[in-house]
């Protein structure tokens, strides 16, 4: 018997979190007399900010370590898993870890009756608006928590790690048991009972939130999964076709690489208030991924599929409330915001303000800083431009 | 697994979950290394991360020098080694190749540095997955070269490696190779030896008269003319030959201190006793290889697996004696040697060459697989056995080499 746990995390920001969870599953399982090991899978290297990545933990009650290794270790990815942990709920929109891979459903590897385990503040029903349907039934369970980002490479000690261990135990005690998890956390940090308690709370929480997802429940997956060419089917010399540079005014006016869009790297997207825009060009200049398309009226449209959510445009824009980063799960498609604005400026603006609301957070790009929570300002359509940025 | 209770009590201080790289760093700590030079490249990088932490935590007193390139990194440890400092460095893939000039002279200067090679494909294209050509590049340069297959073995071979490399009869640098990702980044439970047990096994590094020091005036690697080089090579040739005996001694000693960890120094046989067909390969392919072997045994096939550990010096006699018992040998290469005889891989050439003097040679067939980190599954290995079994009767001249795992 083999139990496979997949831990989906966001590259660099959650690398140490993902690894710690994988390690501790193995340590707790081996304290229970089980055999286990953990490894990771490379993503677009060197794990660029936000890129979806995976760690794995494998546990068996009866196989030798070598057989477990042979079954699970000598592979880059798994075929299926008992539990797939998601450490940032915006990954539910799909994961594209590298080029020529396609945007894959987050639950791709969840086996029949396996569980997708998400740390989130949303309900399972809300989440199902983003997750791909499957031909068989599987389970969805949630446990509550803030996005655990601590800056580049930094492990943010906010109990997400402990909660995840408890949640895994709550779903499948054949992987780790809750008593063993609590015992291990108490043994490791005897003066910090909050850790074992957090594990217990998440254990109880997932047992309440877990629900069966029926075959066909979920969304139709629209992204194509590429078929890689055979060895004799492509150019020799480590060369692949590139994209001819082409440009025209208007939405999607620039030619772009279809084989690696990188849009699943973001957990926030920039929302633009076109009515406040001064056409200063800074967003278009600064975006490292050339997501901004010039339009004939001097505004800049955004190709969201290519946006990695790096926050540079929002920082560069000199106009207050004009570009604001908004949680990615507030959006269900990547259609052109400029076209929506042109079709109905008032309606678009109302919609944009609704997405933005006033509670904002900026996740850290710098080591050691935590999430930054800010108060935003609502600016009605036709209203005065907000005071200039400080 | 620990086969037998060691003769010395308490040879292990604790058990910890470690990646292959972290296990090496524990070996470096226990070997009480004096100088470490670091320059990052995946998948080797994790060892420098782990070592810097070990030093910062006060668990090892060593100079930790961050170099500006692999070339400088290797030069630093070479020089450190010449003044009698036990030294450690490592690299992967093209980083390893970038330091090649330094690697070559380290061997000629007979400086017993230990290097980790976290096997990585040679870019281009930019790729991280395992391929053995990087480490193989030093195979003819006067290096010791061995592959390990688990984090436990990785830790132990830092100790075994230093002991062999530093032996007066050997004095060769040691390349400790391990499969990138599948071993460097795979976390397993590892038993960590006590410092006391390590002291019993690994004597302090002593270059003796070869030490560069004002009190011991010598000059290493002067410019020479044609009068000298051939004799130097003859010395190196001899040292590599002597190393085989020293390796055997080292494993005997290791087993005496730590229990019967290794049944034989150069390679490990699995289910070979009455086998007629075996596969032989380097590195982590042994896990699916042995598991496939077990499954075929359950169906009555007489198959076995030979996990080759030492590549330099090559265990010519031992391997010849072992493999001559079988009817067919399938050699697995996680490397390439384009345009070589029969277009086979490096390991196949060496194995075939070792078997050549036999009157009744087993049939040899070659499998190239797992390149650039491509998975090698249990089913792939079952196919390899089938191919090797067929080679007993088939004329393999036309398709001597089979690629497994390539998209075709
Ligand atoms: S957040 Fe802005 S700057 Fe960054 S990729 Fe997206 S559009 Fe470009
Ligand atoms: S930076 Fe802001 S103001 Fe300048 S063009 Fe972009 S959206 Fe408009």
């Amino acid at each position: 018997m083999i139990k496979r746990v997949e831990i989906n995390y966001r590259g660099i920001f959650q690398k140490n979190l993902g690894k710690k969870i994988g390690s501790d599953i193995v340590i707790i399982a081996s304290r229970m007399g089980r055999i286990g090991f953990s490894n990771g899978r490379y993503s677009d290297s060197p794990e660029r900010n936000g890129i979806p990545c995976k760690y794995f933990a494998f546990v068996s009650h009866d196989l030798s370590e070598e057989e477990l290794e042979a079954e699970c270790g000598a592979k880059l990815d798994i075929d299926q898993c008992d539990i797939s942990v998601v450490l940032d709920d915006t990954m539910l929109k799909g994961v594209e870890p590298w080029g020529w891979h396609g945007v894959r459903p987050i639950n791709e590897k969840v086996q029949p009756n396996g569980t997708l385990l998400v740390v989130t503040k949303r309900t399972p029903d809300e989440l199902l608006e983003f997750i791909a349907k499957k031909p068989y039934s599987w389970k969805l369970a949630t446990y509550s928590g803030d996005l655990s980002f601590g800056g580049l490479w930094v492990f943010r000690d906010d109990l997400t790690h402990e909660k995840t261990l408890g949640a895994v135990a709550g779903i499948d005690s054949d992987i780790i048991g809750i008593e063993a998890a609590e015992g291990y956390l108490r043994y490791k940090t005897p003066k910090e009972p909050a850790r074992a308690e957090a594990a217990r709370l998440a254990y109880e929480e997932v047992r309440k939130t877990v629900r069966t997802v029926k075959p066909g429940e979920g969304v139709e997956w629209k992204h194509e999964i590429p078929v890689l060419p055979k060895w004799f089917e492509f150019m020799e010399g480590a060369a692949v076709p590139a994209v001819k540079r082409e440009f025209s005014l208007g939405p999607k006016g620039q030619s772009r690489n279809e084989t690696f869009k990188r849009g699943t790297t973001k957990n926030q997207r920039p929302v633009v208030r076109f009515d406040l825009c001064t056409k200063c060009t800074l967003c278009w200049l600064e975006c490292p991924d050339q997501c901004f398309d010039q339009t004939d009226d001097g505004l800049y449209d955004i190709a969201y599929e290519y946006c990695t959510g790096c926050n540079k445009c929002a920082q560069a824009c000199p106009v207050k409330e004009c570009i604001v980063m908004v949680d990615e799960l507030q959006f269900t498609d990547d259609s052109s915001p400029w076209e929506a604005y042109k079709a109905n400026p008032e309606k678009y603006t109302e919609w944009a303000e609704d997405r933005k609301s006033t509670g904002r957070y900026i996740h850290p790009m710098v080591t050691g800083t935590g999430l930054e929570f800010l108060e935003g300002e609502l600016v009605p359509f036709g209203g005065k431009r907000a005071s200039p940025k400080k | 697994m620990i086969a037998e209770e060691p003769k010395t009590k308490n040879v292990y201080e604790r058990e910890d979950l470690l990646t292959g790289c972290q296990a090496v760093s524990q070996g470096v700590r226990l070997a009480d290394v004096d100088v470490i030079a670091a320059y990052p490249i995946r998948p080797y990088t994790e060892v420098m991360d782990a070592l810097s932490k070990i030093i910062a935590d006060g668990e090892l007193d060593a100079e930790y020098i961050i170099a500006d390139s692999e070339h400088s990194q290797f030069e630093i440890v070479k020089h450190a080694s010449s003044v009698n400092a036990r030294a450690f460095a490592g690299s992967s893939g093209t980083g390893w190749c970038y330091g090649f000039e330094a690697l070559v002279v380290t061997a000629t200067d007979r400086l017993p540095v230990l290097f980790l090679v976290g096997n990585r494909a040679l870019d281009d294209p930019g790729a991280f997955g395992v391929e053995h050509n990087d480490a193989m590049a030093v195979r003819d340069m006067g290096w010791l070269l061995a592959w390990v297959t688990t984090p436990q073995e990785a830790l132990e071979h830092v100790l075994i490696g230093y002991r062999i490399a530093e032996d007066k009869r050997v004095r060769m640098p040691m390349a400790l190779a391990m499969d990138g990702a599948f071993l460097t980044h795979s976390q397993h439970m590892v038993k960590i030896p006590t410092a006391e047990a390590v002291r019993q096994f690994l004597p302090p590094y002593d270059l003796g008269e070869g030490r560069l020091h004002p009190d011991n005036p010598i000059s290493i690697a002067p410019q020479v003319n044609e009068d000298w080089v051939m004799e130097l090579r003859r010395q190196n040739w001899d040292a590599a030959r002597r190393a085989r005996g020293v390796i055997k001694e080292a494993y005997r000693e290791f087993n005496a201190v730590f229990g019967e960890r290794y049944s034989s120094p150069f390679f490990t046989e699995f289910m070979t006793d009455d086998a007629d067909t075996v596969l032989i390969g380097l590195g982590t392919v042994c896990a699916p290889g042995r598991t496939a072997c077990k499954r075929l045994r359950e169906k009555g096939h007489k198959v076995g697996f030979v996990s080759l550990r030492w590549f330099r010096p090559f265990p010519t006699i031992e391997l010849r004696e072992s493999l001559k018992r079988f009817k067919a040998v399938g050699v697995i290469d996680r490397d390439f040697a384009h345009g070589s005889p029969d277009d086979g891989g490096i390991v196949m050439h060496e194995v075939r060459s070792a078997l050549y003097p036999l009157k009744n040679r087993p049939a040899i067939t070659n499998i190239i697989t797992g390149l650039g980190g491509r998975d090698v599954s249990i089913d792939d290995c079952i196919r390899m056995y089938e191919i090797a079994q067929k080679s007993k009767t088939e004329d393999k001249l036309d398709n001597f080499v089979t690629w497994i795992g390539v998209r075709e």
Side-chain angles (χ1 to χ4, degrees), chain B residues 22-83:
Chain B
Q22 289 167 339
V24 166
S25 72
Q26 287 299 325
V28 170
R29 174 182 67 80
L30 287 161
D32 197 14
V33 164
D34 304 301
V35 175
I36 296 160
Y39 187 80
I41 182 169
R42 272 188 182 198
Y44 138 88
T45 313
E46 197 179 357
V47 83
M48 59 178 266
D49 296 348
L51 280 168
S52 57
K53 185 164 191 309
I54 286 172
I55 294 170
D57 289 347
E59 293 172 6
L60 173 67
D61 182 12
E63 288 293 331
Y64 184 92
I65 301 165
I66 298 167
D68 62 2
S69 69
E70 286 86 357
H71 190 283
S72 312
Q73 187 192 355
F74 300 167
E75 282 290 336
I76 288 165
V77 289
K78 180 191 85 178
H79 284 88
S81 182
S82 72
V83 297

Side-chain angles (χ1 to χ4, degrees), chain A residues 220-388:
Chain A
E220 190 75 45
W221 203 247
K222 290 196 207 80
H223 302 278
E224 230 176 282
I225 308 299
V227 178
L228 297 179
K230 300 188 168 117
W231 72 264
F232 48 83
E233 287 175 342
F234 61 103
M235 211 186 312
E236 302 203 4
V240 290
V243 180
K244 189 169 180 214
R245 197 79 183 106
E246 273 165 347
F247 173 81
S248 60
L249 285 179
K252 316 239 182 308
Q254 300 176 67
S255 54
R256 292 189 168 94
N257 184 356
E258 288 291 318
T259 58
F260 197 14
K261 297 183 175 171
R262 296 184 65 214
T264 68
T265 299
K266 64 178 165 299
N267 68 354
Q268 289 184 309
R269 69 162 63 175
V271 169
V272 186
R273 277 289 299 268
F274 295 102
D275 59 320
L276 301 179
C277 171
T278 62
K279 307 179 181 178
C280 78
T281 77
L282 281 176
C283 54
W284 171 77
L285 271 171
E286 289 291 322
C287 174
D289 288 273
Q290 291 165 312
C291 296
F292 288 88
D293 289 308
Q294 266 177 307
T295 58
D296 53 12
D297 57 5
L299 296 170
Y300 294 91
D301 188 35
I302 303 189
Y304 283 126
E305 295 141 277
Y306 291 87
C307 167
T308 62
C310 75
N311 189 25
K312 264 198 116 177
C313 53
Q315 283 176 332
C317 179
V319 182
K320 210 172 171 190
E321 293 297 326
C322 180
I323 302 186
V324 170
M325 300 303 289
V326 177
D327 184 276
E328 181 61 16
L329 285 196
Q330 295 244 30
F331 307 92
T332 45
D333 68 33
D334 290 333
S335 59
S336 154
W338 178 82
E339 277 175 351
Y341 173 73
K342 291 310 256 189
N344 188 338
E346 208 162 334
K347 199 169 147 217
Y348 168 82
T349 307
E350 207 177 293
W351 172 86
E353 286 304 285
D354 183 48
R355 303 291 109 172
K356 279 162 60 183
S357 80
T358 54
R360 314 275 164 76
Y361 71 90
I362 299 171
H363 64 68
M365 294 290 176
V366 179
T367 300
T369 58
L371 282 184
E372 215 181 311
F373 293 92
L374 303 169
E375 194 60 29
E377 206 177 312
L378 288 178
V379 183
F381 181 68
K384 235 176 16 114
R385 272 189 195 128
S387 45

Side-chain angles (χ1 to χ4, degrees), chain A residues 60-81:
Chain A
S60 177
H61 299 199
D62 47 8
L63 290 184
S64 72
E65 190 170 359
E66 178 165 293
E67 266 175 272
L68 187 63
E69 170 88 36
E71 290 280 2
C72 311
K75 301 183 85 165
L76 293 174
D77 203 343
I78 50 175
D79 300 324
Q80 53 174 35
C81 62

